[in-house]
Every structure is written in C-alpha cells, then in structure tokens.
Amino acid sequence: MQTSLVSDLFSILDRSALLLQNKSHISYLEGLCRAGEDIYNDTVSEGALSDQLRPLYASFFREQMTAEDVRRAFQLAALKGMKADPKPGHEMTPDALVMLIGHIVALLAEQAPFTILDPAVGTGNLLTGILNQTKADHVEAYGADTDDLLIKLAYTNANLQQKDIHLFHQDGLKPILTEPTDFAVCDVPIGYYPDQETAESYELNGINGKAYTHFLFIEQGLKYLKEAGYLLYLIPNRLFADDRERRFHDFLQKHAIILALLQLPLSLFKDGKAAKSILLMQKKGQNVTPHKQALLAEMPDFMDEQAMRGFMAQLDRWFAGRSV
C-alpha cells in the first residue's frame, strides 16, 4: 500500500462526494455512495456536474492500486462523513483492529478456501479488510445490516474493491439466507435489542432479565457456523461481568471452546467503559478437541512498536503450536 496513492484516491472520493452533496442537497455519505457507484459503473449520474466529475472518475482506477488501497481511501471518506453527521451505530472498526483480525483469520484459514459471515457488516470495512489479507484462492463472503445507508456504503465499498460479497439488507439477528460458514466475524453492536419477539427465540435472551444485543449476536454467529468453525468478535470488556447468572458461561460450555481473549489497550478508546476485547472461539463438533491452553493476553499500546512486534511474534507462535 502506498500512502500517497491512498491520499490521491481519498481526494477523488472526497471531492466527488462534496460536489454531489452540494448539487443534490444530500448528505456527504450519500454523495460518497453515488460517487462510488458512478466510478464503478463508469457513468455520471448527475449530468450537470459531468465536466467536473468525469475527469475525477476517470483517474480513480489505475494499474498499481490494490483493493487495500481502495479500502483505506474509502474508510477515510466514510469516517469524514460520519464525523460530520454522527449517528448511533455509525462507527467504524479502528484500522489497527481490522488488520489484526484479518491477520488472525489468515493464520487460521491458511491457503484453504473458506466462507465467512459478518452479521452486522456496517460499511464492510472489517469484512473487506479481512478479505484483503487472506491467502486463499477463493473466499465466499456474506454480510447483513439493517441500516439503509450502511448497507449501501458496504455495497459501494465492495464494488470499488472488486469484491464479490453477498449483502443482505436485514436485521442480522433474524434468519439469514446462507449456509453455515467457516468464520463468523463481527464488531458487535452493544446495547438492548428492541424486538422482543425475535429475542425470545434465542437461548441467551433474558440475561439479567434483558435482551442484550451483544449476547444475541454471539449466539447468532455460532448458529451460522459449521462444526469446528471459528467465531472472531470484538466484544465489550464487560461481557463476562454482565453474565452474573452464568447463563452465557453455561451456553459456551455446550456450544463452543474459547481459544483466545485479547484485551485491547485502553488508549484505543475515548471512554474506558467502551473498551473492547477480541474473542476467538471454535464451535464444538465431532472432531474438535479442547486446546491445551487458551491465549489470554492484554495487548500493548499500538503506538509502542517494539512491544507490538513482541506481541505479534507471541501470537504467531501460539497459532503455530495450537493443538487443532
């Protein structure tokens, strides 16, 4: 990835989105979607801006660029739009975590083809970041989101990166039209789930008398995994503390094995109460045996390069020596 190239691509997306925003009286993010769709389809949907937009669009795709360059540029533009018009649920997974989760998926999958689902896909930033790191020749990817704008951004993002992702505009806690997958990944939405009728179909409904969205998404992810499939989620640090009646503990005993729990540095979060960890689990099955030891670690500050190199070496050694 070339930093100057990412800056150039961002500039094209940014200038195009601003032109469309001002001309069509739409939000910046809606302008970004229209610009991305125009670039992908080699059209100019706003004829009055043709003289300004066509040269921008024509300079977007170039021989030396990669899908990761496009993801980084699109991420910058989406972050700008979200900062200008903040809305609940319109947050993006920090780039360092996208790279780390993608690295873990690549270690687990190696070069074998696989299928992957993100039931709260958002803008597609996490899912496409994972796809960009895989060594597999073939990956079948699925994503779901209930938010109209986010799923539109995910569609645009995937198209610009030339990724074939099956996207569903729906509540990710309702039935998803896909076969069981090898991986379930998610930056888990946190809070209370309002659809009590749907929540009642989940074993993890009613923890402490409430329908917690984050618990339900873990159950949904495990439900849509193949036997021995891997669940790799960003979870709130309070997840296990919230399980005062140990219902979640009992659920995991039946359905999954915890392989790793990596507590993220507090420096990543503005509010310590919003701190998260990476949870890696394997769904139980006939050929699944418990690991000798789960990897439990507190990650160093991402800005501490020496400490991060040491941590990544430890992580790679653990995966190299895992028993299954």
Side-chain angles (χ1 to χ4, degrees), residues 44-301:
V44 178
S45 58
E46 181 55 73
L49 295 174
S50 182
D51 289 346
Q52 294 165 278
L53 289 175
R54 196 168 291 282
L56 287 171
Y57 292 170
S59 63
F60 188 82
F61 289 113
R62 50 193 80 181
E63 287 185 8
Q64 71 271 33
M65 69 188 264
T66 66
E68 185 63 7
D69 292 323
V70 176
R71 184 191 71 80
R72 295 278 181 104
F74 193 88
Q75 173 186 240
L76 291 173
L79 284 169
K80 177 179 177 178
M82 290 175 178
K83 187 175 180 179
D85 185 18
K87 289 188 173 75
H90 282 203
E91 296 91 19
M92 294 181 75
T93 308
D95 205 49
L97 300 185
V98 172
M99 301 306 292
L100 178 58
I101 292 172
H103 180 68
I104 293 172
V105 171
L107 288 173
L108 290 166
E110 297 179 330
Q111 296 183 353
F114 64 88
T115 52
I116 186 169
L117 167 69
D118 185 340
V121 73
T123 66
N125 188 51
L126 174 60
L127 186 55
T128 57
I130 291 168
L131 298 183
N132 289 342
Q133 292 188 68
T134 181
K135 300 180 181 70
D137 290 333
H138 178 73
V139 180
E140 198 159 341
Y142 302 85
D145 207 287
T146 189
D147 188 287
D148 294 13
L149 181 55
L150 292 181
I151 202 72
K152 196 171 181 181
L153 285 163
Y155 171 78
T156 307
N157 194 6
N159 280 344
L160 287 176
Q161 294 185 58
Q162 300 182 48
K163 300 293 184 188
D164 186 11
I165 300 175
H166 306 276
L167 292 169
F168 302 98
H169 181 204
Q170 65 159 84
D171 183 343
L173 290 175
K174 293 190 174 178
I176 302 172
L177 191 61
T178 175
E179 295 296 317
T181 58
D182 298 296
F183 288 91
V185 298
C186 192
D187 188 346
V188 179
I190 300 168
Y192 303 117
Y193 185 56
D195 185 346
Q196 190 54 48
E197 183 178 349
T198 298
E200 286 174 358
S201 66
Y202 283 82
E203 287 184 53
L204 293 177
N205 177 44
I207 288 182
N208 304 332
K210 298 181 176 68
Y212 286 105
T213 306
H214 35 292
F215 284 112
L216 301 186
F217 266 104
I218 291 173
E219 183 174 340
Q220 180 77 327
L222 284 170
K223 176 182 177 182
Y224 279 90
L225 278 179
K226 299 176 183 177
E227 283 192 3
Y230 294 100
L231 180 144
L232 189 55
Y233 274 22
L234 273 169
I235 61 164
N237 281 356
R238 68 172 191 268
L239 184 80
F240 292 96
D242 282 345
D243 182 34
R244 293 194 293 271
E245 299 168 352
R246 294 177 64 82
R247 287 183 55 198
F248 181 53
H249 173 272
D250 294 340
F251 174 84
L252 294 185
Q253 287 287 314
K254 288 193 295 182
H255 299 291
I257 298 167
I258 294 179
L259 302 182
L261 184 64
L262 310 177
Q263 187 172 315
L264 299 168
L266 293 178
S267 57
L268 278 179
F269 306 95
K270 293 179 181 178
D271 182 355
K273 294 179 181 178
K276 295 184 179 182
S277 297
I278 294 174
L279 174 65
L280 172 62
M281 299 194 296
Q282 186 172 27
K283 186 173 180 176
K284 287 187 174 181
Q286 288 185 347
N287 299 316
V288 177
T289 55
H291 281 222
K292 294 175 183 176
Q293 186 175 359
L295 177 62
L296 306 176
E298 290 186 20
M299 293 188 61
D301 191 310

Side-chain angles (χ1 to χ4, degrees), residues 1-11 62 64 69:
M1 184 198 68
Q2 302 173 46
T3 304
S4 59
L5 177 54
V6 172
S7 298
D8 288 347
L9 297 176
F10 163 71
S11 178
R62 50 193 80 181
Q64 71 271 33
D69 292 323

Side-chain angles (χ1 to χ4, degrees), residues 16-32:
S16 302
L18 286 170
L19 285 167
L20 288 163
Q21 177 187 18
N22 293 330
K23 180 65 178 178
S24 303
H25 306 291
I26 55 179
S27 72
Y28 179 92
L29 289 176
E30 289 169 325
L32 178 61

